[in-house]
Amino acid sequence: MSTSTVAPIAGLGEVPNHAYGVRFDDLGRAFPVAGGESRQVLRDVELEVEPGEILAILGPSGCGKSTLLRIAGGLDAPTSGSVTIDGAPVDRYDARCAVGFQEPRLLPWRSVAANIALGLPRGTAKADGRAVVERLIELVGLAEFADHRPREISGGMAQRTSLARALARNPGVLLLDEPFGALDALTRLKMQDLLLDVHAAAPTTVLLVTHDVDEALQLADRIILLGNDGGAPGADIRQTVVVPGHRPRDRGSAELAELRGRLLDGLGIDRHGSARGVEVTKTIPHYPY
Amino acid sequence: MTQQTTDAPSRPAPAAARPAAPRLGRRLVDRKWFVIVGGAIIPVIVLLTWHLVSENGIVPTSQLPSPTMVWLALIDLIERGLFWQYVAISTQRVLIGFAIGATLGLLFGAIVGLSKLGDILLTPTLGALRAVPSLAWLPLLILWLKLGEESKITLIIIGSFFPVYTVVASALRHVDRQLIEAARAFGLHGTRLFGTVQLPAVIPETIAGLRLALAQAWLFLVAAELLGASMGLGFLLTDSTNTGRLDRTFLAIILLAVIGKLSDSLIGVFERWAVRRWT
């Protein structure tokens, strides 16, 4: 997946390239549980995402990362506060967003190409749609598998199809819920580069939920760390980290390694070296770990 | 359709060239001729035993007619022109009743499976009606619709309605929620959502339901023809028993078995195609 694959997406459809800002305003979400009680998952989330920004949402599992993303896409609604895209409130299943789910969620009876076409905005002319799908298939490297069914391709290919489907929507906000979580390490790195290529060519706003600190550091302009401070129930933003440097970033950079340690700290993972009194050397790159 | 799953995503060409899992010689049970011959073994043994038992007088022919007698009864019916008439009228009743019953089953199954309100309103009533044995309807149907075709076809409609209704309603309720959510997130709703996701997702189950319904239609046909019919395989069954023509009774039973199996096999072929196409 070299940067040469960027070119095809540049002329993606007739729709002008757009990116919207997203604003979470004092947002909270509580889920009802048995016995008429409710469980607070998110509280007081105050966040402004700039148009074109890549924001990574980190946090321990079950802290409400996905819920926050689903609320941004109108797949779920907040119990308090509000969320707006480009200044307007989010609709149910908001058409300005496209979602890349944790699982590929492809229609098993449709070919790869037809699954990607599902993402096209409604009212796309047939010829335009075909051209967009063709370019996206090329971009995600599945040209030879266009006519295959989802069960005939590997998990990584299915996840790429799912990403292409989301891109076909030419979204103002791209919501990715641990899209590479289920992939093997190598495929994951390739997918991350692919996402950066796509973003470089068509810089949309991206909200990326992940549990992988390295992935967040590699992809994001900014990282927020969700978590609970042990006081009131529900998670809020514990830390905001602006990632230095321009993408693509050197996966072995010492600066990122330092940030990585701080983020892991925030997730409650101690840095084994310093915890055991091992002196940290700056001369030897820490990657691969 | 070529089956290939590869775990080398970015280099499809060499992966595609990789042969399918090595065949350790085709096993006997995979061979087509063996499947056909194997399925015929038990019927042939039964036929031979039947022949021996009746020909040797172990069981008197008044209780067990020989295969030859049943064969002659078949020839006799064909020569009188009754055979095709009976088969045709029975098949016609089954097909009309099945078509109407299956359509209604699809319709009500879709209402109950897709709409919470439909579920609340209809499920208890339809569940109770399903619990009524088929024969219980017969006196009422004859009273209301007389002895004509309507009463028989109505009974078959009832018989083929419930398998389709039950299967479709339950399948629609269990369509993968994640798929539906994904489709909604991509802007599908209402009839487009139904046509794009829900309907294709339940096609294999629906065809399995149709298969059950067709089998049920043949069962209900016999019930319908047992009372007040002047033609058909069910009539052949009762009439021959009443007149002591046991050879014809056997013939009727064998015909029902063979025709039922044939129509089931036809839908079975369709079902296999649908499972390949839609899953």
Side-chain angles (χ1 to χ4, degrees), chain A residues 70 105 145 151-152 154 160, chain B residues 4 6 9 12 181 277 279:
Chain A
R70 292 169 57 83
R105 301 200 190 182
F145 294 90
R151 70 178 133 83
E152 296 162 350
S154 71
R160 277 188 270 162
Chain B
Q4 49 189 12
T6 165
E181 188 188 58
R277 172 71 186 77
T279 54

Side-chain angles (χ1 to χ4, degrees), chain A residues 125-146:
Chain A
K126 267 214 169 112
D128 291 349
R130 249 201 314 274
V132 170
V133 169
E134 210 167 286
R135 257 173 264 156
L136 284 169
I137 289 186
E138 198 74 42
L139 179 76
V140 296
L142 291 176
E144 297 185 44
F145 294 90

Side-chain angles (χ1 to χ4, degrees), chain A residues 1 70 75 93-94 97-99 101 103 105-110 118-120 122 141-142 144-145 148-149 151-154 157 160 165-166 169 187 190, chain B residues 1-13 16 177-179 181-189 192 196-198 200-201 275-279:
Chain A
M1 239 63 64
R70 292 169 57 83
L75 275 63
Y93 303 112
D94 200 293
C97 301
V99 191
F101 295 96
E103 322 78 18
R105 301 200 190 182
L106 304 175
L107 300 180
W109 52 87
R110 283 195 175 198
L118 192 75
L120 293 169
R122 209 171 167 192
L142 291 176
E144 297 185 44
F145 294 90
H148 283 54
R149 300 286 194 78
R151 70 178 133 83
E152 296 162 350
I153 59 178
S154 71
M157 293 159 114
R160 277 188 270 162
R165 178 179 61 182
R169 208 156 174 70
T187 311
K190 284 183 180 167
Chain B
M1 174 180 338
T2 55
Q3 286 275 347
Q4 49 189 12
T5 305
T6 165
D7 35 26
S10 56
R11 288 189 302 120
R177 300 224 161 273
Q178 292 198 331
L179 271 191
E181 188 188 58
R184 282 190 197 277
F186 285 102
L188 297 180
H189 52 85
R192 283 184 72 227
T196 313
V197 182
Q198 284 150 327
V275 167
R276 266 207 316 276
R277 172 71 186 77
W278 297 101
T279 54

